[in-house]
Amino acid sequence: LMRSPEVENITFSGQLVCNFFSGTHFIDPETQETLTTLRFEFADSCYVNTLGLNIVQGGNIPTRLGGDPFPALVNKRFLEVLRWEGNPVGRIYKCKGLFDVVITGVLDDFIVGSIFTPQTPVVIVGLGGWNSFYMSIRLHEMSPESFTRLENRLRELLLDQDIVLTTYRDKLHESYRDTERFRNSVVVAAVFMLLITLMGLVGYVSDEIRRRSKEIAIRKVNGATATDVLKLLLRNIIIIGLPAVMIGLAGTYLAGDKWLENFPEKISLNVFIFVLGGLALLAVIGFCVVLRSWYVANENPVKSIKSE
């Protein structure tokens, strides 16, 4: 399988024969106090390279697994919870009631599951003897053709096995499914709120026109054009609308920046995007005002004066 041109690296990870669960209590070896939940991963030495993890201190777990205590990698979060200072490589952590591990290296923190999952200390143990395992494959290039060739190759090698391939992109998308639903709900709610706001704006403009109809008629008699009338109404709306839009954009920027803190990979908030959004909203407001005022601005002023 490694000789296949589309395959870059392969790693195995799994569970112990004793059906050991991936999460257990993290206990301070000195005080015996339960600190948090500890996550175990059982894998081979290719795990780090295949998943693109970064070793910041020490080295990888050995290729030939075995020994007591078992070699293991830990993340920075592990050291922070235990308050270990200095070089942790070579130190032994006693997993109460299970086994002991000797730390061979420290990994940079990485996201397990999704950012909305509580991130716990991680221990990657170089330990074989699994009764079930997972094969993780990194491809040189992710494409439908390479994916199909890989699936066919696995079916050739594992004739009696059910082959189920899942891409990292699909797993990532699934982990953020609730976030996507929330995003879609916010978009729908924003559209409805905009429509309700525009309906209120049209009603406000209608009241202004009705209230100032005589003033508009007198201005037109004295030489004001339709453009002058539209400018008059637009100026009054902009005096209210511009501060409201600016306050709304500031709140949106702060809320968006706070929301993006939940994601490890994110875009940078460009102020230019918010400026364009504000200008577009003001343009929609102006269009609604002009559309509603156009008839009155071009109406014969005599009609309004006669009704007095």
Side-chain angles (χ1 to χ4, degrees):
L1 184 60
M2 279 300 297
R3 289 195 293 269
S4 301
E6 63 272 3
V7 177
E8 180 179 344
N9 209 348
I10 298 176
T11 188
F12 293 90
S13 57
Q15 293 180 329
L16 288 174
V17 177
C18 62
N19 292 319
F20 183 79
F21 294 102
S22 60
T24 187
H25 295 299
F26 192 16
I27 299 175
D28 191 326
E30 296 180 359
T31 63
Q32 297 301 309
E33 176 188 359
T34 300
L35 302 175
T36 181
T37 302
L38 180 63
R39 181 183 181 89
F40 280 94
E41 298 283 352
F42 304 97
D44 59 14
S45 58
C46 296
Y47 191 85
V48 172
N49 291 332
T50 303
L51 271 65
L53 304 180
N54 182 31
I55 299 178
V56 296
Q57 198 171 4
N60 197 0
I61 52 179
T63 303
R64 297 179 62 88
L65 304 179
D68 186 16
F70 298 104
L73 294 168
V74 297
N75 63 345
K76 290 181 178 179
R77 176 66 177 157
F78 180 95
L79 305 179
E80 291 174 0
V81 173
L82 280 182
R83 300 185 182 91
W84 280 3
E85 298 179 356
N87 187 0
V89 176
R91 295 189 65 169
I92 295 176
Y93 177 75
K94 296 181 179 296
C95 304
K96 187 176 181 180
L98 299 173
F99 47 78
D100 299 340
V101 296
V102 58
I103 299 174
T104 63
V106 179
L107 295 168
D108 203 359
D109 288 333
F110 55 92
I111 302 300
V112 177
S114 74
I115 194 68
F116 302 106
T117 304
Q119 299 302 304
T120 59
V122 176
V123 178
I124 300 175
V125 184
L127 181 64
W130 310 309
N131 64 337
S132 64
F133 66 87
Y134 303 93
M135 180 189 299
S136 301
I137 304 174
R138 177 187 286 273
L139 303 180
H140 289 288
E141 180 183 3
M142 189 62 193
S143 64
E145 295 77 13
S146 61
F147 195 79
T148 302
R149 288 196 300 267
L150 174 62
E151 185 176 13
N152 294 335
R153 181 58 176 160
L154 287 172
R155 294 188 187 280
E156 293 175 2
L157 297 174
L158 306 171
L159 298 177
D160 299 330
Q161 301 294 326
D162 293 331
I163 306 300
V164 180
L165 294 181
T166 304
T167 64
Y168 175 76
R169 183 179 302 169
D170 291 339
K171 291 178 70 67
L172 186 64
H173 186 74
E174 182 64 29
S175 66
Y176 286 103
R177 184 77 66 183
D178 293 338
T179 305
E180 183 182 21
R181 293 195 185 101
F182 177 75
R183 188 275 311 270
N184 295 338
S185 300
V186 170
V187 171
V188 173
V191 171
F192 278 102
M193 285 190 290
L194 179 61
L195 292 176
I196 294 172
T197 303
L198 293 180
M199 291 173 60
L201 175 65
V202 171
Y204 174 78
V205 174
S206 299
D207 290 340
E208 279 292 290
I209 291 174
R210 187 163 46 250
R211 184 176 66 86
R212 304 180 66 176
S213 59
K214 307 305 180 294
E215 176 190 349
I216 294 173
I218 293 174
R219 287 178 179 272
K220 294 188 67 175
V221 169
N222 291 326
T225 62
T227 303
D228 295 329
V229 174
L230 292 177
K231 288 181 179 179
L232 174 67
L233 296 174
L234 278 173
R235 184 170 61 250
N236 293 335
I237 297 298
I238 292 300
I239 290 175
I240 300 174
L242 184 59
V245 170
M246 293 178 65
I247 294 173
L249 291 178
T252 303
Y253 182 88
L254 294 176
D257 185 63
K258 190 67 177 178
W259 177 250
L260 286 177
E261 292 179 0
N262 295 317
F263 301 93
E265 296 183 10
K266 54 195 172 186
I267 64 171
S268 58
L269 286 182
N270 193 334
V271 178
F272 186 67
I273 298 176
F274 292 87
V275 173
L276 285 180
L279 292 177
L281 184 57
L282 289 175
V284 171
I285 293 174
F287 176 77
C288 291
V289 173
V290 171
L291 189 64
R292 181 63 187 86
S293 309
W294 182 257
Y295 175 77
V296 175
N298 291 277
E299 187 182 28
N300 189 344
V302 176
K303 294 182 180 180
S304 297
I305 296 176
K306 277 184 176 181
S307 64
E308 190 64 42

